[in-house]
């Protein structure tokens, strides 16, 4: 299938400030080929730039594919690399984290913290002491972190990493049920949460939500609570403890020896949505993950010691793990961490943050850019963006208009601006422009080319490479450092989801095209994942929430294009006999879903139908539903049980349009 929408395949932009780094796409392709053909040696040369307690014996153990292990025999510690090394060097008094809380008076934030590497070292050691000495946790145990964007979150991640304790961060916008599912799956022994978190001036009652979640979990023995909002909460005797109180048991200069974790020891689990079934616990290793971060921090972000890097994501997602916490700290850089909404209380809050701290490297998302764009340029007229020397976006395809607008407003059309493609599973960026290495010309909306050593392609259903500008599936052919170890507790599913559509090749689940210069353009998900404002949601989670509602018999959820959020979920619902389809029920269904999954799971519309398009074996054909409402050809419907169902969907949709 050829792409029938217009993408600026031919346009080429050379950012004036990086002219000296620019090379032609064909030369880059040659360099890429050399690195990728020799990918094991190539990645070994990057990994050797890290400090290992013990060098590896084998670069890649590929004896049991797809369960690849990188740098086997090597010993390394993520917390030691991100904290100790810098705290023991001239960087001791360098700021590691600039934290800004959301509450503000006009343009003035009420709370700002500058945490130096020396201070971070002390804090991480103290928390590691708590985990080890107070709670008796050890290497291989799992803990869940359900925290707002406050410094304690990276501190707990680093403290856990120090001990080889596997941490699982649960985004603070998830509900009690979602939290309980993740705690149960990880078998977390400790939950760290806060009394509340600030979001748009309101308190999100995290502890109350956690209490509800804990009613349905059995592994959590202790709960540690960070005081953030001072709202009223209940503390369960014997289980819950304030962090402040526990700190009292910790010697001020506590030192906890970092574990000599093996390269292939799990560092963290991060849950993410897929095609079917419950969210999957993606497990990342230590040595490979740090290697991809080392590479991308240098090639993609061109990180230098005087940089101030701001990634506008939440640490609850992979972007925050890799490019707020571990990537910048691994490089001894200064990372900005902002607690709240980018446009609160003023629409230009984000711009004031850039100005206030002199952000030099900006990593943001298309949805954020489109929401800024909505207000026009005048709002930002008096803002000074001159500190920014490089920027990228992530999370969803960036439309050329949004690219052009931001490139002009913040980038003054003179600095690199790319759209980095990667995912929770890849650990780090895979396709990008590489201003820290060589820069190929920019094109509005493209992702650029794969990183050296990353063997990416676009293939058709029968796994042959597609022709230029022909749509196909994105695949990764060779193993890479940063790849998952497995799905937590479900290795078979790992094989089935990622390594079975094209045997022996990693299938990320995205549609893509490659243009005749060799640039990649990721077009969106090929499966039932919806990207709402860049957040990854599975239709399964939304549908299973809906069918648990007493009025609902069946439900199909699909993503439809949205000018601001990229995509939004809409639901087609079959009610149980005797239920009345009305506005009130719609409202209550929407509230129900938000409660079950979390506030990010807002259905943009709900349509009532009497039947859904299904195969004869009873599987809902979401593909057909989506085609009908996006005005695309419905394709092959020979397996459809009842063609009238397609008409029903069409009618319900048209009537409400
Ligand atoms: C999408 C986020 C187009 C893609 C880091 C992928 C993108 C999913 C881009 C992973 C981009 C991410 N251009 N699409 N620059 N970046 N995606 O796991 O569909 O939350 O499969 O990781 O986001 O989402 P995840």
């Amino acid at each position: 299938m050829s792409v029938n929408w217009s993408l600026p395949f031919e346009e080429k932009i050379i950012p004036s400030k990086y002219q000296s780094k620019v090379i032609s796409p064909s030369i880059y392709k040659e360099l890429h080929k050399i690195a990728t053909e020799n990918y094991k040696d190539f990645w070994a040369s990057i990994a050797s730039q890290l400090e290992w307690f013990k060098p590896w014996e084998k670069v890649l153990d590929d004896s049991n594919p797809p369960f690849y292990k990188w740098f086997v025999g090597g010993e390394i510690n993520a917390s030691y690399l991100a904290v100790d090394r810098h705290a023991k060097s001239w960087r001791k008094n360098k700021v590691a984290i600039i934290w800004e809380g959301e509450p503000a008076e006009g343009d003035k934030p009420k709370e700002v913290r500058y945490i130096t590497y020396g201070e971070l070292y002390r804090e991480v050691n103290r928390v590691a002491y708590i985990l080890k000495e107070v709670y008796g946790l050890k290497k291989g145990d799992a803990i869940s972190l359900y925290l707002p964007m406050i410094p304690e979150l990276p501190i707990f991640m680093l403290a856990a990493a120090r001990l080889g304790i596997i941490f699982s961060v649960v985004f603070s916008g998830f509900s009690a049920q979602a939290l309980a599912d993740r705690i149960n799956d990880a078998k977390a022994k400790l939950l760290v949460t806060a009394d509340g978190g600030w979001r748009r001036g309101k308190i999100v009652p995290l502890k109350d939500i956690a209490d509800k979640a804990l009613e349905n979990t059995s592994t959590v023995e202790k709960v540690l609570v960070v005081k953030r909002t001072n709202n009223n909460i209940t503390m369960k005797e014997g289980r819950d403890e304030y962090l402040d109180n526990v700190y009292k048991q910790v010697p001020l200069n506590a030192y906890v020896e970092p574990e000599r974790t093996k390269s292939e020891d799990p560092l963290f689990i991060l849950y993410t949505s897929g095609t079917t079934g419950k969210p999957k616990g993606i497990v990342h290793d230590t040595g490979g993950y740090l290697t991809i971060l080392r590479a991308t921090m240098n090639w993609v972000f061109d990180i230098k010691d005087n940089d101030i890097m701001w990634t506008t994501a939440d640490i609850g997602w992979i972007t925050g793990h890799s490019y707020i916490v571990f990537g910048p700290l691994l490089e001894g850089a200064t990372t900005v961490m902002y607690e709240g909404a980018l446009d609160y209380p003023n629409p230009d809050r984000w711009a004031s943050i850039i100005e206030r701290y002199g952000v030099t490297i900006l990593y943001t998302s298309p949805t954020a850019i489109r929401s800024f764009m909505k207000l026009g340029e005048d709002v930002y007229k008096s803002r000074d963006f001159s500190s920014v020397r490089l920027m990228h976006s992530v999370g969803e395809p960036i439309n050329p208009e949004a690219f052009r607008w931001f490139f002009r407003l913040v980038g003054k059309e003179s600095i690199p601006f790319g759209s980095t493609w990667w995912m929770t599973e890849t650990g780090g960026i895979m396709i990008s422009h590489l201003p820290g290495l060589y820069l190929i010309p920019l094109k509005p909306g493209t992702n650029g080319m794969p990183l050296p050593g990353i063997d990416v392609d676009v293939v058709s259903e029968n796994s042959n490479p597609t022709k230029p500008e022909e749509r196909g599936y994105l695949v990764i052919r060779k193993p890479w450092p940063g790849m998952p170890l497995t799905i937590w507790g479900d290795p078979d599913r790992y094989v089935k989801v990622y390594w079975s559509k094209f045997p022996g090749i990693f299938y990320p689940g995205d549609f893509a095209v490659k243009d005749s210069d060799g640039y990649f353009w990721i077009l969106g998900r090929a499966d039932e994942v919806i990207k709402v404002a860049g957040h990854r949601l599975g239709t399964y989670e939304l549908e299973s929430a809906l069918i648990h509602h007493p009025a609902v018999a069946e439900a199909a959820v699909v993503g439809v294009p949205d000018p601001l959020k990229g995509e939004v979920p809409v639901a087609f619902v079959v009610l149980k006999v005797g239920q009345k389809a009305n506005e009130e029920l719609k409202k209550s269904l929407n509230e129900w879903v938000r409660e079950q999954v979390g506030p990010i799971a807002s259905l943009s519309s709900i349509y009532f139908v009497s039947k859904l398009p299904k195969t004869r074996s009873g599987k809902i054909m979401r593909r057909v539903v989506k085609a009908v409402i996006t005005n695309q050809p419905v394709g092959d419907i020979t397996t459809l049980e009842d063609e009238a169902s397609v008409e029903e969907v069409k009618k319900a949709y048209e009537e409400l349009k």
Side-chain angles (χ1 to χ4, degrees), residues 292-470:
I292 197 70
L293 295 187
R294 165 82 195 167
T296 50
M297 284 306 299
N298 285 279
W299 304 341
V300 178
F301 296 109
D302 189 29
I303 194 81
K304 299 281 186 294
D305 246 312
N306 49 3
D307 277 317
I308 309 288
M309 174 160 174
W310 185 25
T311 297
T312 66
D314 191 290
I315 294 176
W317 309 102
I318 190 69
T319 305
H321 279 60
S322 297
Y323 299 109
I324 297 177
V325 184
F326 285 101
L329 298 179
L330 176 67
E331 296 298 320
T334 300
T335 183
V336 177
M337 185 178 165
Y338 168 56
E339 182 185 31
L342 295 172
D343 56 356
Y344 185 87
N346 296 322
D348 63 345
R349 178 71 180 263
W350 64 277
S352 81
I353 292 174
I354 293 178
E355 207 176 71
R356 200 159 28 252
Y357 307 113
V359 170
T360 57
I361 299 174
L362 180 66
Y363 196 27
T364 189
S365 73
T367 293
I369 293 171
R370 287 190 294 261
S371 72
F372 307 153
M373 194 173 159
K374 221 175 46 186
L375 303 171
E377 256 163 68
D378 281 358
V379 182
Y380 313 107
K381 247 200 181 125
S382 63
R383 292 295 178 189
D384 180 5
F385 295 118
S386 61
S387 59
V388 182
R389 68 172 183 93
L390 186 161
M391 51 191 196
H392 290 289
S393 94
V394 62
E396 44 175 327
I398 185 161
N399 46 316
E401 303 72 47
F403 172 94
R404 291 196 180 95
W405 185 82
F406 207 60
F407 186 48
R408 194 175 60 238
L409 177 78
V410 182
K412 309 295 171 215
E413 300 188 330
S414 67
I415 62 169
F417 179 28
S419 169
T420 62
W421 178 86
W422 60 298
M423 62 200 307
T424 306
E425 292 83 341
T426 64
I429 294 164
M430 300 277 107
I431 306 177
S432 174
H433 285 84
L434 308 171
L437 203 57
Y438 305 104
L439 187 68
I440 54 169
L442 314 176
K443 297 183 184 190
T446 184
N447 296 100
M449 290 196 194
L451 267 60
I454 302 294
D455 193 1
V456 176
D457 206 352
V458 181
V459 301
S460 62
E461 200 70 53
N462 56 16
S463 75
N464 291 325
T466 53
K467 291 198 213 73
E469 292 170 26
E470 195 175 78

Side-chain angles (χ1 to χ4, degrees), residues 501-518:
K501 185 169 172 74
F502 305 107
I505 304 177
F506 183 85
Y507 169 58
D510 276 315
F511 280 130
V513 292
K514 203 158 105 169
D515 68 22
S516 44
D517 291 322

Side-chain angles (χ1 to χ4, degrees), residues 83-117:
V83 184
D84 297 39
R85 263 181 335 137
H86 311 307
K88 299 229 160 86
S89 75
W90 66 267
R91 293 197 186 98
K92 180 171 180 175
N93 292 314
K94 179 179 173 178
V95 176
I97 300 174
I98 302 177
W99 175 80
E100 181 169 309
E102 189 191 74
E105 246 161 54
D107 216 20
K108 258 202 155 144
K110 287 191 181 156
E111 300 149 286
V112 176
R113 274 183 71 185
Y114 292 89
I115 303 168
T116 63
Y117 275 100

Side-chain angles (χ1 to χ4, degrees), residues 239-268:
R239 186 193 72 181
D240 305 350
E241 200 66 73
Y242 281 110
L243 179 63
D244 283 351
N245 286 345
V246 184
Y247 261 141
K248 289 181 193 144
Q249 308 174 34
V250 183
L252 254 185
N253 56 352
Y255 172 74
V256 177
E257 184 86 21
E259 277 282 327
R260 294 171 67 112
T261 35
K262 291 203 217 84
S263 175
E264 70 271 26
D265 277 340
L267 178 62
F268 63 88

